[in-house]
Amino acid sequence: MATPQLPPYAVYPAEFAFRSIAQRAARLGIGGEREIALATLQAARFAMAALGPAALPKGQRQARIVAARIWFGTLALPARARLAVQRVVDASATDDRQALAAGLEELIEVAAPVLDRAASGELRTLLRFAERGDHTATA
């Protein structure tokens, strides 16, 4: 059976890397747990932008983080969650994969009570990606 070909003018479907985290945040009620899940989602997106062949240049990552700090500041996060998110975001502005991996480990621990198995799995996959630099780790 032949693989269907998209017409030359077709737009390829977008793949969202953290679907389970987003779905979990959407299912949580308004308030603390949802804000932790949303902050985790954004931190994971910043971390992913610092990794792999499609990583954004350092200057662009830093500019995005400066703009996002205002949004992060509006969230009512427990101190431990705020610190874990901040570590991941700050590390994603650098090229220090060890700091990023350490921040992700802390974020996984802090967010565990809020996230379900699939959402936690996405974070663990991202952590393996940060640790190994193996571009297939997110597949």
Side-chain angles (χ1 to χ4, degrees), residues 42 45-46 49-50 56-69 72 89:
Q42 288 306 106
R45 293 183 68 212
F46 279 115
L56 293 176
K58 191 175 182 179
Q60 285 183 354
R61 292 188 315 238
Q62 290 170 341
R64 291 175 72 190
I65 288 168
V66 167
R69 284 194 196 283
F72 279 115
V89 172

Side-chain angles (χ1 to χ4, degrees), residues 44-107:
R45 293 183 68 212
F46 279 115
M48 186 59 132
L51 300 169
L56 293 176
K58 191 175 182 179
Q60 285 183 354
R61 292 188 315 238
Q62 290 170 341
R64 291 175 72 190
I65 288 168
V66 167
R69 284 194 196 283
I70 297 168
W71 179 79
F72 279 115
T74 66
L75 298 176
L77 297 173
R80 189 164 178 236
R82 183 174 300 281
L83 187 58
V85 166
Q86 185 176 341
R87 284 190 177 139
V88 171
V89 172
D90 289 346
S92 70
T94 69
D95 292 324
D96 187 352
R97 291 175 84 95
Q98 289 180 335
L100 185 56
L104 286 167
E105 285 176 352
E106 183 180 0
L107 183 60

Side-chain angles (χ1 to χ4, degrees), residues 3-138:
T3 305
Q5 293 285 349
L6 289 175
Y9 52 83
V11 176
Y12 289 94
E15 292 185 27
F16 190 72
F18 304 107
R19 179 177 294 152
S20 295
I21 299 173
Q23 287 174 342
R24 179 66 180 149
R27 283 186 247 118
L28 291 168
I30 294 175
E33 288 186 341
R34 185 180 205 162
E35 292 195 357
I36 291 171
L38 288 171
T40 299
L41 172 63
Q42 288 306 106
R45 293 183 68 212
F46 279 115
M48 186 59 132
L51 300 169
L56 293 176
K58 191 175 182 179
Q60 285 183 354
R61 292 188 315 238
Q62 290 170 341
R64 291 175 72 190
I65 288 168
V66 167
R69 284 194 196 283
I70 297 168
W71 179 79
F72 279 115
T74 66
L75 298 176
L77 297 173
R80 189 164 178 236
R82 183 174 300 281
L83 187 58
V85 166
Q86 185 176 341
R87 284 190 177 139
V88 171
V89 172
D90 289 346
S92 70
T94 69
D95 292 324
D96 187 352
R97 291 175 84 95
Q98 289 180 335
L100 185 56
L104 286 167
E105 285 176 352
E106 183 180 0
L107 183 60
I108 289 168
E109 182 182 330
V110 169
V114 174
L115 302 179
D116 57 18
R117 180 179 287 162
S120 293
E122 288 176 346
L123 286 179
R124 285 190 298 277
T125 299
L126 182 59
L127 173 61
R128 286 192 304 274
F129 189 31
E131 290 174 335
R132 289 192 258 152
D134 178 5
H135 305 305
T136 61
T138 57

